[in-house]
């Protein structure tokens, strides 16, 4: 006789969630334990609870395999971006952007430029990862040359990258949020303007203030800038032709090519240009695509900046993503997440509390599953009936999924987005978090709108009258 599988109680489910979060936070903030080991401990806890519910080991193993399967495409994209970063450095594309940036960008306006440039790149390609891995790395180099705190630069790059990702019709998460909520893409994007644009304007102002304050303290050293310029000029054949990979990538994006073929074209073009412009051999560029670019320029700061990229550089992030997806799928399939979220969705009777619950749930789901996509899929299903009951237009739901979904993804160290940004930009998630202004301003603006009623749209164009209580 087979053992009957029990459904988790609310108390047990929320206890498991608290334990998992406690393990991750303690390892990261206090114990200095590698986050991958912490995720493994969390998986053990989740697996033990699954067995307590009646699941057999074969069932749990299938949950793990399904979790791994869900990450395969994203992992492949991640590895390709590693190859793109390496070939764009080897070809001179990223060094040339750094070179031009050091010459023309006003240091006081640098953080604004970093945010805006990253925004345009991610709007064009629909990917925060591609933006940070190309333009973002270039601005990290410019910032280093100007003597600006790397955490400031990373915060501006991440803010811009996710603004563009959120507001791009090519973005997978933008399309996913609208599709799962049952609203049209452009209706969803129009709704997002209410929260994202005010937050973006405030963030730009804050980057301006931070930039002027930084420069006022004398952090910019002209000798460092000149050293960077001379060193880049000595080690690379720099010319406007180096920008060709960016132009081709934008053309590929405009033609709406899928992400993987587009990244393959970008990597191969960078490799060809490295051979033509920089004299790199075929064998060397092939090794660079796997191991990353390496240079010994004699200047440690430049070496540290340019010695990066390659498929192998992404394996650390892939391992984190692997454990996070396994953990998330176990918590999902066993019903731990849904038990808690259904309870929350069931007690929201007003627009203000419903939107607040959606925002909180989206953030919590990411913290527990490490997956933005899983968060959107589950929360859209759980909260949609509550929005319908209150006659709130579902574009408010789709917007709320992204306000803490897309915008906060890179603020969570063990989320795939936080992992990627930290490893690509070379700045720890918790270091750039305070300066990723848009990431925490967007949820704040969303909460203000929810509790003031501004930007809360109803199906019939107006808020429905309260139903009279039955005698």
């Amino acid at each position: 006789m087979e053992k009957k599988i029990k459904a988790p109680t609310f108390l047990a489910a929320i206890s498991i969630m608290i334990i998992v979060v406690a393990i991750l936070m303690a390892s990261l903030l206090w114990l200095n334990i590698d986050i991958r080991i912490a995720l493994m401990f969390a998986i053990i806890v989740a697996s033990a609870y699954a067995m307590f519910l009646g699941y057999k080991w074969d069932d749990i193993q299938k949950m793990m395999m399904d979790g791994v399967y869900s990450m395969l495409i994203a992992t492949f994209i991640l590895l390709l971006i590693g190859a793109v970063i390496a070939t764009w450095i080897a070809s001179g594309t990223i060094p040339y952007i750094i070179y031009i940036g050091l010459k023309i960008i006003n240091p006081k306006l640098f953080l604004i430029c970093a945010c805006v440039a990253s925004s345009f790149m991610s709007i064009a390609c629909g990917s925060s990862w591609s933006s940070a891995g190309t333009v973002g790395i270039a601005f990290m180099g410019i910032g280093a040359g100007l003597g600006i705190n790397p955490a400031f630069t990373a915060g501006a790059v991440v803010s811009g990258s996710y603004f563009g990702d959120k507001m791009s019709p090519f973005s997978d998460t933008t399309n996913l949020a609208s599709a799962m909520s049952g609203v049209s893409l452009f209706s969803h994007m129009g709704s997002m303007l209410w929260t994202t644009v005010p937050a973006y304007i405030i963030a730009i102002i804050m980057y301006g203030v931070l930039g002027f304050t930084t420069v006022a303290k004398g952090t910019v050293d002209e000798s460092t800038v000149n050293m960077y310029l001379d060193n880049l000029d000595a080690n690379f054949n720099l010319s406007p032709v180096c920008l060709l990979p960016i132009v081709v990538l934008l053309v590929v994006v405009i033609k709406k090519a899928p992400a993987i073929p587009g990244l393959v074209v970008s990597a191969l073009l960078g490799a060809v240009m490295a051979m033509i412009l920089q004299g790199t051999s075929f064998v060397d560029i092939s090794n660079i695509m796997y191991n990353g670019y390496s240079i010994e320029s004699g200047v440690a700061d430049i070496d540290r900046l340019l010695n990066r990229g390659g498929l192998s550089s992404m394996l650390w992030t892939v391992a984190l993503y692997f454990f996070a997806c396994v953990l998330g799928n176990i918590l999902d399939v066993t019903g731990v997440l849904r038990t808690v979220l259904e309870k929350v969705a069931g007690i929201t009777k007003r627009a203000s509390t419903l939107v607040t619950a959606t925002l909180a749930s989206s953030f919590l789901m990411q913290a527990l599953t490490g997956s933005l996509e899983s968060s959107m899929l589950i929360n859209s299903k759980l909260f949609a009936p509550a929005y319908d009951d209150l006659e709130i237009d579902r574009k408010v739901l789709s917007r709320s999924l992204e306000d803490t979904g897309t915008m906060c993804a890179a603020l969570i160290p063990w989320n795939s987005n936080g992992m990627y940004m930290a490893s690509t930009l070379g700045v720890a998630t918790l270091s750039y978090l305070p300066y990723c202004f848009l990431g925490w301003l967007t949820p704040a603006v969303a909460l203000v709108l929810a509790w003031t009623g501004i930007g809360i749209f109803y199906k019939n164009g107006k808020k429905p009258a309260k139903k009279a209580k039955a005698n």
Side-chain angles (χ1 to χ4, degrees), residues 355-424:
V355 172
T356 301
T358 307
L359 294 170
S361 179
S362 294
F363 181 82
L364 182 61
M365 272 289 294
Q366 286 195 83
L368 289 168
T369 66
S371 170
L372 170 57
E373 292 77 10
S374 296
S375 173
M376 286 188 175
L377 289 168
I378 294 175
N379 282 295
S380 60
K381 292 178 181 179
L382 289 176
F383 285 98
Y387 280 80
D388 292 340
D389 289 344
L390 295 177
E391 298 183 32
I392 300 174
D393 195 307
R394 285 199 185 185
K395 64 185 179 182
V396 179
L397 166 62
S398 64
R399 176 182 79 198
S400 300
L401 293 176
E402 291 222 67
D403 284 340
T404 52
T406 304
M407 301 313 296
C408 293
L411 306 184
I412 303 170
W414 54 86
N415 181 284
S416 58
N417 292 268
M419 301 172 201
Y420 173 79
M421 291 298 160
S423 61
T424 300

Side-chain angles (χ1 to χ4, degrees), residues 302-314:
I302 291 180
D303 293 350
R304 188 163 45 249
L305 170 68
L306 296 180
N307 291 347
R308 64 177 66 213
L311 270 68
S312 62
S313 70
M314 296 299 176

Side-chain angles (χ1 to χ4, degrees), residues 13-77:
I14 200 167
S15 298
I16 292 296
M17 290 171 67
I18 291 172
I19 291 171
V20 167
V21 172
I23 290 173
L24 298 176
M25 294 300 292
S27 67
L28 193 68
L29 299 177
W30 303 298
L31 302 178
N32 197 28
I33 296 174
D34 189 287
I35 190 63
R36 289 166 293 188
I37 299 300
L39 283 166
M40 187 175 69
F41 287 146
I43 290 170
I44 292 172
V45 171
S47 299
Y49 184 63
M51 296 181 74
F52 170 78
L53 292 175
Y55 289 94
K56 296 180 179 178
W57 175 247
D58 287 346
D59 300 324
I60 298 171
Q61 189 167 277
K62 185 177 185 305
M63 296 177 200
M64 294 180 176
M65 292 173 64
D66 290 342
V68 172
Y69 179 78
S70 70
M71 63 173 269
L72 291 181
I73 296 299
T75 299
F76 194 38
I77 290 173

Side-chain angles (χ1 to χ4, degrees), residues 160-171:
S161 296
Y162 281 87
F163 171 81
D165 192 327
K166 186 178 182 184
M167 299 310 301
S168 173
F170 309 119
S171 169

Side-chain angles (χ1 to χ4, degrees), residues 88 243-254 262 265-266 269:
W88 279 31
L243 297 177
L244 184 59
I246 294 180
V247 175
V248 172
L249 177 60
L250 293 176
V251 170
V252 169
V253 166
I254 292 171
V265 170
S266 297
L269 179 59

Side-chain angles (χ1 to χ4, degrees), residues 149-278:
N149 187 330
F152 295 175
T153 308
V157 167
V158 173
S159 288
S161 296
Y162 281 87
F163 171 81
D165 192 327
K166 186 178 182 184
M167 299 310 301
S168 173
F170 309 119
S171 169
D172 55 351
T173 55
T174 301
N175 282 276
L176 179 63
S178 61
M180 292 307 302
S181 302
V183 300
S184 69
L185 174 62
F186 289 101
S187 178
H188 166 58
M189 292 178 66
S191 180
M192 287 196 295
L193 292 174
W194 286 79
T195 54
T196 310
V197 171
Y200 189 73
I201 292 172
I202 297 171
I204 291 296
I205 293 172
M206 293 176 71
Y207 286 126
V209 172
L210 187 60
F212 274 79
T213 303
T214 301
V215 173
K217 290 182 178 179
T219 58
V220 177
D221 185 349
E222 289 296 328
S223 63
T224 302
V225 173
N226 291 330
M227 179 190 68
Y228 268 62
L229 292 173
D230 293 341
N231 199 284
L232 290 171
D233 195 40
N235 285 281
F236 294 93
N237 179 18
L238 301 176
S239 72
V241 179
C242 294
L243 297 177
L244 184 59
I246 294 180
V247 175
V248 172
L249 177 60
L250 293 176
V251 170
V252 169
V253 166
I254 292 171
K255 294 294 184 181
K256 299 182 180 180
I260 291 177
L263 290 171
V264 169
V265 170
S266 297
L268 292 179
L269 179 59
V272 170
M273 289 188 62
M275 290 187 284
I276 296 173
L277 295 180
Q278 312 302 335

